[in-house]
Amino acid sequence: MTSSTLGAFLLPDGYARLAPRAVLRESSLLLEATRYAHSRVGDRRVRRATPYASRVTLREADPVLLVPGFLAGDLSLRPLGRALRAHGLRTYRSQIRANVGCTLDAAAELEARLESIAQRRGSRVQLVGHSLGGMLARGIAVRRPDLVSSIVTMGSPMLAPGAHHPSLSAAAEALVRLSRAGLSGLMAEECLAGACARRSFEESREPVPPGIGFTAIYSRRDGIVDWRACVDPLAEAVEVTASHIGMVLDPRVIAHVVAAVRPRDVPAGRTGLASVVEVDRGESA
């Protein structure tokens, strides 16, 4: 993306756009998807071998709202949501079909979604966001600490949103062109270089209020964003070995997400044994 299209403040000194060849690191996605498929098979076997009365449901944990990344929608986080529910956690979709619009508009819609879930459940909500979704989650946590109990970001370049692969730049430019042509609901120039972009960036850099857990998951193998931009100094940083896209599939990464959102006094290691019946049909992830 050219400097005239992308605000210079989105790429601070010390960070860099990725070289085109960096996307080759994303080839490990196939391996990560295979790991996920194998884990699903293993979980089913354990579940079938466990009497229903022995399955544990975690009601102590706050509900989890999953937020997808740029160009993605709730469908991309379905495997992650399924894994979290297998651990007894209650999950909700963001209701984002494709994260291609104005970030401020997306944040406002997520805030309304949070209010609805918090009111329904009588508790604060945990946010788990992938890539851009994590940046949105962080901004909302700063703005509405009364609604958020913790956030987990996955490959979210909060420190330098402009430090990404050229393919993302091309996609953003295409959205801007379509917006200029009259298509509604898409990113406009203001979202990349104007006041909209600056406000979103500044909100994602403000201190996270006390009492809100913050875990930032990153990978040096990330072929989409500069991993250094994902390591927020205010967060508990967790390094994994996975591709950017594969983070939401790899069972090893999912285990870190589970550890971050489950109650601290509940032991891990119960994969596939939990059972959650979500009564809000069409609401959960």
Side-chain angles (χ1 to χ4, degrees), residues 17-23 164-166 223:
R17 297 185 180 90
L18 272 63
R21 65 178 179 278
V23 75
H164 55 239
H165 191 269

Side-chain angles (χ1 to χ4, degrees), residues 65-85:
L65 175 60
L66 304 175
V67 189
F70 179 53
L71 300 178
D74 288 327
L75 184 63
S76 68
L77 298 181
R78 181 175 291 180
L80 175 59
R82 184 181 293 118
L84 292 176
R85 291 193 299 279

Side-chain angles (χ1 to χ4, degrees), residues 56-115:
V56 179
T57 299
L58 301 181
R59 295 297 184 184
E60 299 87 353
D62 289 337
V64 180
L65 175 60
L66 304 175
V67 189
F70 179 53
L71 300 178
D74 288 327
L75 184 63
S76 68
L77 298 181
R78 181 175 291 180
L80 175 59
R82 184 181 293 118
L84 292 176
R85 291 193 299 279
H87 284 271
L89 294 152
R90 194 185 300 274
T91 67
Y92 287 84
R93 294 189 296 262
S94 66
Q95 297 184 339
I96 294 177
R97 293 185 178 181
N99 203 344
V100 296
C102 171
T103 53
L104 292 183
D105 289 346
E109 292 171 1
L110 282 172
E111 187 173 325
R113 179 80 168 128
L114 269 176
E115 289 177 340

